[in-house]
Amino acid sequence: MRIDIITILPKLFEGPFSDSILKRAQDKGLVEIYLHNLRDYSTDKHKNVDDYQYGGGAGMVMRIEPIAACIEHLKKERDYDEIIYMTPDGVLLEQGVSNLLSTQQNLLILCGHYKGVDERVRDLYITREISIGSYVLSGGELAAAVLVDSVIRLVPGVLSDETSALTDSFQDQLLAPPVYTRPPEFQGKCVPEVLLSGDFKQIEQWREDMALKRTKERRPDLLK
């Protein structure tokens, strides 16, 4: 899989992409991540990529010319399965979206800033708009990092135990059940006996029951 990210703040990705699972995925050659500084595509002598919005109002708008130039340049090199715009008014990121995107080969992600991008960018180039929640961030970089992490961990070979992702919360519209490890007792709190029984059929049933119970208590909307 290859992921290209268009941003005005490429340094924001250095931490998330240079450690842990995302780094190992790149080291294994399972995923390639490329950052493209939008300012490199600006024809403005000061490398500005924003301007005042038509009609007045507070906040600047990302100009279409540098964005179009960057996207067109990248599209000449490969076909993209999705061109994604990270925006608060996009469709909420859910596990099913991450599952779908993890099956693609080439993704292009545009990180918004200021009051957003010129609407014509969305009309002409964007195939999918994604939000990570009902709130506003300073820019789309952190949201893009969340999306990339949620997708890459699902790519075959990235996790040492590929079945782990299949039992995560939301994979079956349920929250994951409680989990325990050693010691079996701590400050009077004990691991449920069923988990120590060795009876895998009973353990599986307990996990299903607890997943349903936790979902009813914390996210009943998922059961609808």
Side-chain angles (χ1 to χ4, degrees):
M1 169 182 281
R2 175 179 170 126
I3 300 176
D4 291 275
I5 302 175
I6 302 173
T7 171
I8 63 172
L9 297 171
K11 289 186 178 180
L12 277 182
F13 292 100
E14 291 179 0
F17 293 170
S18 62
D19 207 346
S20 190
I21 291 174
L22 296 190
K23 182 178 186 300
R24 292 199 298 271
Q26 295 174 81
D27 290 343
K28 290 180 179 179
L30 299 173
V31 178
E32 296 178 294
I33 302 175
Y34 293 91
L35 303 175
H36 305 275
N37 192 331
L38 184 61
R39 297 189 189 281
D40 293 339
Y41 294 85
S42 174
T43 57
D44 182 275
K45 66 179 181 179
H46 300 296
K47 297 299 180 182
N48 291 329
V49 295
D50 60 299
D51 207 339
Y52 297 102
Q53 55 180 309
Y54 280 124
M60 306 294 279
V61 177
M62 296 180 73
R63 294 169 48 220
I64 189 171
E65 294 100 331
I67 296 174
C70 183
I71 292 177
E72 292 291 354
H73 171 76
L74 294 173
K75 287 176 66 176
K76 288 179 181 178
E77 299 177 349
R78 66 193 48 81
D79 293 326
Y80 288 97
D81 299 295
E82 296 277 7
I83 300 179
I84 302 166
Y85 174 46
M86 305 305 300
T87 173
D89 62 352
V91 175
L92 185 64
L93 176 62
E94 295 185 331
Q95 190 63 45
V97 174
S98 297
N99 290 345
L100 175 62
L101 294 178
S102 72
T103 66
Q104 306 302 318
Q105 292 300 310
N106 296 302
L107 301 177
L108 177 57
I109 302 174
L110 171 63
C111 301
H113 262 277
Y114 314 115
K115 294 296 287 186
V117 300
D118 186 301
E119 188 69 15
R120 290 166 292 186
V121 173
R122 304 168 81 161
D123 295 338
L124 295 172
Y125 295 107
I126 303 303
T127 64
R128 186 181 292 267
E129 301 179 349
I130 295 178
S131 166
I132 64 168
S134 302
Y135 47 87
V136 178
L137 299 172
S138 300
E141 283 76 15
L142 297 180
V146 169
L147 173 64
V148 170
D149 187 288
S150 74
V151 169
I152 287 180
R153 65 190 307 276
L154 298 172
V155 174
V158 170
L159 297 181
S160 55
D161 182 357
E162 294 184 11
T163 62
S164 176
L166 299 178
T167 57
D168 286 340
S169 291
F170 308 113
Q171 284 290 13
D172 52 4
Q173 290 301 105
L174 296 175
L175 299 181
V179 292
Y180 298 85
T181 187
R182 292 179 288 184
E185 184 275 333
F186 182 76
Q187 295 185 1
K189 295 290 186 179
C190 297
V191 175
E193 291 186 6
V194 64
L195 298 179
L196 307 175
S197 68
D199 188 327
F200 294 108
K201 185 175 181 179
Q202 286 191 19
I203 291 172
E204 189 61 30
Q205 185 60 56
W206 179 86
R207 286 174 172 162
E208 290 180 7
D209 293 342
M210 293 304 295
L212 182 59
K213 179 175 183 292
R214 177 163 285 186
T215 305
K216 285 181 177 179
E217 293 173 348
R218 302 184 182 188
R219 290 292 303 276
D221 57 294
L222 294 174
L223 299 176
K224 297 178 182 179

